[in-house]
Amino acid sequence: MRMILLGPPGAGKGTQAVRITDKLGILQLSTGDMLRAAVAAGTEIGLKAKDIMARGELVPDDVVVGIISDRIEQPDCARGFILDGFPRTVAQAEALDRVLKAKGIGLDVVIELTVDDGILIQRIETRARETGGARADDNAETLKKRLDVYHAQTAPLVDYYKTTGLLRSVDGMASIEEVAAAIDGVLAEF
Ligand code: AMP
């Protein structure tokens, strides 16, 4: 199973990805986690990404495409993977298509978590207060910036994957259990 979880920051992609990982025994590949690890380790990529991430902007496409194409080459991805936070631009989606095609494989499904912006902003503000900004990019201002970036650069992927027939949409505003059940319903098709 090779799938993408699509949705804005705060939509619950990470929570659902972990659950699907446990259920299906496939890996969650989060470019956000990989970039944070690179920042923590002080690698060349980490140094490049650090300030961009703190501002809530996107790191360059070639950086994340490179990370993902190297990662999915690894033997532990042979059974499949869930992409969480990648692709985030149409250029990344096109690059992913090329990488997968070169390997003779393709995507099975793209699950979009749909959310209401107003509610999301409330959630984002609550999360920023509760975590006290545990992540460098977890303050209300940066999170709102990330939401703007999502609408400008990532939301066009909804149409991109609609055109390919891979897109399934799930109400991301429901409870974690309800979202999980709706995702399981989609996955039951496969
Ligand atoms: P996330 O944990 O997915 O919310 O990602 C945190 C931050 O990492 C984002 O705000 C971006 O700065 C960066 N990032 C993660 N994934 C990508 C991606 N696919 N393309 C560009 N930047 C990314």
Side-chain angles (χ1 to χ4, degrees), residues 56-162:
E57 293 167 7
L58 295 185
V59 305
D61 288 336
D62 58 333
V63 172
V64 283
V65 168
I67 293 177
I68 284 292
S69 58
D70 288 349
R71 190 63 191 84
I72 61 182
E73 287 290 326
Q74 303 301 312
D76 57 357
C77 287
R79 293 194 54 219
F81 45 77
I82 306 170
L83 295 174
D84 163 13
F86 179 94
R88 254 180 163 94
T89 64
V90 170
Q92 290 179 20
E94 288 169 348
L96 176 64
D97 285 346
R98 285 194 296 273
V99 167
L100 294 178
K101 197 169 172 204
K103 287 170 65 69
I105 56 181
L107 291 167
D108 295 300
V109 67
V110 177
I111 299 182
E112 176 205 11
L113 299 182
T114 59
V115 294
D116 174 276
D117 258 17
I119 297 174
L120 198 59
I121 287 173
Q122 277 172 16
R123 268 194 195 176
I124 282 172
E125 285 171 344
T126 307
R127 180 160 111 185
R129 258 197 313 277
E130 283 170 357
T131 61
R135 269 169 52 176
D137 59 354
D138 225 357
N139 60 70
E141 197 190 323
T142 310
L143 281 164
K144 280 185 197 155
K145 168 75 185 171
R146 291 167 62 209
L147 196 53
D148 289 343
V149 168
Y150 178 81
H151 284 299
Q153 301 193 57
T154 309
L157 290 181
V158 171
D159 280 340
Y160 183 87
Y161 287 119
K162 230 180 237 171

